[in-house]
C-alpha cells in the first residue's frame, strides 16, 4: 500500500488541478485508476528529538507556519 504521496497527487478527485498533474496521471495509468485516494489529517507526521516535537502539516502555508514557530530565527530562509 501507499503511505503518503505529497504535492497533492492524492487529493480528492473533485480537485481537478491535482488530477491533471503528470505524476497523478502516471499513477492512474499504471494502476488502472484503482487507487482509492483519501485526504490525510492536517498534521500527518510528528518528529520527536529529545524534548522537542516537530509537526509536519499538509499544505505549504501550514508547514511554513509550523517551521517558523519551531525555528523563528530561520523565518527568512523558510519563506
Amino acid at each position: 500500500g501507499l503511505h503518503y504521496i505529497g504535492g497533492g497527487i492524492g487529493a480528492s478527485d473533485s480537485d481537478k488541478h491535482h488530477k491533471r498533474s503528470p505524476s497523478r496521471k502516471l499513477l492512474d495509468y499504471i494502476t488502472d485508476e484503482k487507487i482509492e485516494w483519501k485526504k490525510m489529517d492536517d498534521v500527518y507526521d510528528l518528529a520527536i528529538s529529545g524534548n522537542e516535537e516537530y509537526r509536519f502539516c499538509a499544505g505549504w502555508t501550514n508547514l511554513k507556519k509550523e517551521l517558523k514557530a519551531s525555528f523563528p530565527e530561520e523565518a527568512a530562509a523558510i519563506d
Side-chain angles (χ1 to χ4, degrees):
L2 299 172
H3 172 65
Y4 175 78
I5 297 179
I9 294 171
S12 154
D13 284 344
S14 64
D15 189 340
K16 305 254 187 274
H17 169 74
H18 295 306
K19 192 161 174 126
R20 291 191 312 259
S21 75
S23 299
R24 173 67 183 262
K25 285 181 178 181
L26 177 63
L27 283 169
D28 283 347
Y29 176 77
I30 63 176
T31 65
D32 198 24
E33 296 191 29
K34 292 192 173 23
I35 294 176
E36 292 182 32
W37 299 99
K38 304 242 189 253
K39 183 181 181 304
M40 294 183 71
D41 294 336
D42 289 336
V43 177
Y44 63 84
D45 211 347
L46 178 68
I48 301 171
S49 177
N51 293 330
E52 300 291 325
E53 291 186 357
Y54 305 99
R55 298 172 357 136
F56 290 82
C57 299
W60 285 112
T61 301
N62 294 333
L63 179 58
K64 288 197 302 187
K65 181 179 171 184
E66 285 293 324
L67 288 171
K68 289 176 186 179
S70 296
F71 306 102
E73 68 283 357
E74 298 296 334
I78 292 168
D79 282 329

